[in-house]
Amino acid sequence: MPNNIYLEKRAFAGQVARAGESGIVALSYINTDEKPILGGYFVAAAEGVGNCKNVSSATDSILGVAVVIGIHHEFKSGKNLSVMTIPHGSEIWVQMSEDSTLAVGDRVKINGTGPDAGKISHDGSILTHFYVTDVLGDLATIMRREVAV
């Protein structure tokens, strides 16, 4: 029987891999999108204070990554969720697009449109200040790059 690569490291999209030195790593937002937001996907600011939505445009203002806490891996419209801002020293497992060739050390780009919107890829349309620290199947841990590149 083949090994399950996800169980080997016990990783899933939206799992905090390491919490850094910052006091607050995740803030609560309300999903005002019609569609659910999935754990491990990047989340965009929505109209109104404290609201968020799925990424749908290369010009969206990115808030962070939807964090999975407990058993909830999907956050329906009108429900709250925690969004990790990925502060100094923190890492989180995020969902990569199926065709992504990201490797350890690569700069993270977010897909801004299409079926992979909110996932990361080597050729996404939204450039970030994060980089890949580990890859496991279609998941990657990312961390804040501390120097301008």
Side-chain angles (χ1 to χ4, degrees):
M1 182 159 90
N3 286 342
N4 183 324
I5 60 173
Y6 301 105
L7 289 179
E8 181 180 317
K9 290 191 178 179
R10 305 273 192 243
F12 54 86
Q15 177 185 15
V16 175
R18 176 172 59 167
E21 299 170 5
S22 299
I24 298 175
V25 295
L27 298 173
S28 179
Y29 289 90
I30 299 295
N31 176 10
T32 58
D33 201 320
E34 292 177 3
K35 297 182 204 173
I37 292 174
L38 301 177
Y41 281 59
F42 272 90
V43 176
E47 190 173 317
V49 175
N51 295 331
C52 68
K53 65 178 185 137
N54 285 293
V55 174
S56 60
S57 167
T59 59
D60 279 346
S61 295
I62 302 299
L63 295 171
V65 176
V67 177
V68 171
I69 299 173
I71 61 170
H72 300 287
H73 292 257
E74 179 179 296
F75 307 95
K76 297 181 190 301
S77 182
K79 299 294 182 181
N80 76 310
L81 64 144
S82 294
V83 178
M84 185 173 180
T85 59
I86 316 170
H88 169 75
S90 294
E91 292 176 287
I92 187 167
W93 287 97
V94 294
Q95 188 69 53
M96 292 193 300
S97 60
E98 190 174 316
D99 66 344
S100 176
T101 61
L102 286 171
V104 173
D106 288 349
R107 192 157 185 188
V108 170
K109 296 177 185 173
I110 304 166
N111 293 312
T113 59
D116 285 334
K119 293 181 181 181
I120 64 170
S121 178
H122 63 283
D123 64 353
S125 55
I126 304 171
L127 187 62
T128 73
H129 53 278
F130 305 117
Y131 69 101
V132 175
T133 56
D134 195 4
V135 175
L136 182 64
D138 61 352
L139 300 178
T141 52
I142 62 171
M143 181 179 247
R144 177 181 298 279
R145 183 176 301 279
E146 298 300 331
V147 294
V149 178

